[in-house]
Amino acid sequence: MTGNIRPLEDGIERDLQGLNYGSYLHLDELLHAQQPVSDHHDEMLFIVVHHVTELWMKLIIHEIRSAISLLAQDELGPALKRLARVKHIQRQMIEQWAVLATLTPSEYAQFRDVLGKSSGFQSAQYRTLEFLLGNKNRAMIAVFAHEPQTAAQLDRDLHAPSLYDEFLLYLARRGYPIPAELLERDFAEPHTRNEELVGILTAVYADPEHQWDVYETCEELVDIEDTFQTWRFRHLKTVERIIGYKRGTGGSSGVAFLSRALSLTFFPELYAVRTEIGAPAKEHA
């Protein structure tokens, strides 16, 4: 009888020289990256949550870059698979706020001062993600002037087509009458709502059976924006719960600054379609 002991099976590897679980994942480096500056117990929570968030963002960026490339090659099916994965990653990121929210105001106050001017606003990966989704902002490049390689990559992403831009280019190649000003524009500028495009996408939603792949892609994009906005909202509420209406460590107005981000949209026409579908016919003058 072995009780609660589970004996090792004969085939299990016991000599872990060479490539193994730890060395493959570089766990020495990964698990030594959490270096609290204070001796407060809860600073480890704060660091781990932010590290995990950055890792998830790294994977989202990897998937969205691939989706953009696939769309450029007219490979819509595999691109949709990438976007489906992105949604599941986003949901993991949303749930992480519940973990950070266990940090009370009095606990955070005991080590907040050691953070200096560190702020999530300074996350290069977050800025990359926003650029890839279409929230372009030239002014953000200067924030990373202290990291020339990062600033250069952000500049490349600023000037490259976003996920939405690439989708519209794909639609144009499929024969959809996408306005020329959307196809030939300066991609470093944020996309703004185009009424002609609203009409084109409304027609897709009015007849999904005959253009299901485009219809499905539109809904995948809406899912991604909706989930991204949910993440932003949970961020705001977590900050409000922990520091109230204090200024952020990076100098922002805190909750007010985060609240303004909720008004930003990546795919305005896809939301405008919701108003148009099923609306009474417009009266002619």
Side-chain angles (χ1 to χ4, degrees):
M1 296 293 292
T2 56
N4 286 327
I5 297 174
R6 181 177 63 171
L8 293 180
E9 296 174 356
D10 291 341
I12 289 179
E13 293 285 351
R14 292 169 172 78
D15 181 0
L16 300 185
Q17 297 298 315
L19 187 65
N20 59 54
Y21 181 79
S23 62
Y24 172 68
L25 295 177
H26 295 270
L27 291 183
D28 279 348
E29 299 168 54
L30 180 65
L31 299 179
H32 281 84
Q34 296 74 43
Q35 298 291 330
V37 180
S38 75
D39 59 1
H40 193 276
H41 173 82
D42 294 304
E43 191 184 351
M44 181 62 77
L45 161 69
F46 191 80
I47 293 172
V48 168
V49 168
H50 285 82
H51 273 174
V52 172
T53 298
E54 289 289 335
L55 287 171
W56 281 133
M57 281 197 290
K58 182 173 184 176
L59 183 54
I60 289 178
I61 290 167
H62 176 69
E63 300 295 340
I64 291 181
R65 286 198 191 283
S66 178
I68 289 172
S69 176
L70 288 164
L71 281 172
Q73 300 169 58
D74 295 333
E75 295 286 347
L76 183 60
L80 287 174
K81 178 63 168 64
R82 305 292 191 270
L83 299 184
R85 180 176 291 162
V86 166
K87 292 188 300 182
H88 289 289
I89 302 168
Q90 288 177 302
R91 292 187 185 108
Q92 294 298 315
M93 291 173 63
I94 290 169
E95 288 305 311
Q96 287 174 202
W97 291 122
V99 181
L100 189 59
T102 64
L103 183 67
T104 67
S106 55
E107 291 166 345
Y108 184 45
Q110 294 181 57
F111 67 86
R112 187 177 189 235
D113 287 346
V114 306
L115 303 180
K117 57 187 177 183
S118 303
S119 166
F121 176 79
Q122 300 154 13
S123 168
Q125 288 202 125
Y126 177 75
R127 204 56 52 194
T128 297
L129 181 53
E130 287 219 319
F131 281 10
L132 294 178
L133 290 174
N135 184 17
K136 303 292 185 73
N137 186 343
R138 294 175 187 270
M140 287 307 308
I141 305 297
V143 174
F144 299 93
H146 64 294
E147 297 180 3
Q149 287 185 321
T150 299
Q153 180 59 61
L154 283 171
D155 189 66
R156 288 191 290 273
D157 290 327
L158 179 76
H159 288 87
S162 70
L163 177 63
Y164 197 41
D165 291 323
E166 204 63 71
F167 177 52
L168 298 182
L169 290 165
Y170 167 80
L171 290 181
R173 293 192 298 273
R174 283 271 299 266
Y176 287 82
I178 306 300
E181 62 265 28
L182 296 179
L183 305 175
E184 301 165 3
R185 71 185 192 86
D186 180 359
F187 293 122
E189 295 297 323
H191 173 87
T192 56
R193 175 169 164 165
N194 181 285
E195 293 305 323
E196 191 174 347
L197 181 58
V198 173
I200 294 167
L201 295 177
T202 299
V204 170
Y205 275 77
D207 185 25
E209 290 82 4
H210 293 94
Q211 42 203 330
W212 186 266
D213 55 349
V214 174
Y215 172 74
E216 181 184 10
T217 306
C218 290
E219 285 298 283
E220 289 286 346
L221 293 174
V222 171
D223 284 344
I224 286 174
E225 171 152 351
D226 183 64
T227 312
F228 194 94
Q229 291 287 45
T230 302
W231 182 85
R232 277 174 168 162
F233 180 75
R234 288 291 298 276
H235 182 192
L236 180 156
K237 298 306 289 185
T238 302
V239 169
E240 183 182 33
R241 174 174 177 151
I242 296 175
I243 69 168
Y245 289 84
K246 296 185 185 73
R247 295 192 70 84
T249 48
S252 76
S253 56
V255 168
F257 177 76
L258 295 174
S259 179
R260 288 194 291 274
L262 293 174
S263 65
L264 300 174
T265 180
F266 300 122
F267 320 123
E269 293 83 5
L270 292 176
Y271 281 88
V273 164
R274 270 76 186 155
T275 304
E276 298 298 321
I277 292 293
K282 297 178 182 178
E283 295 183 3
H284 295 286

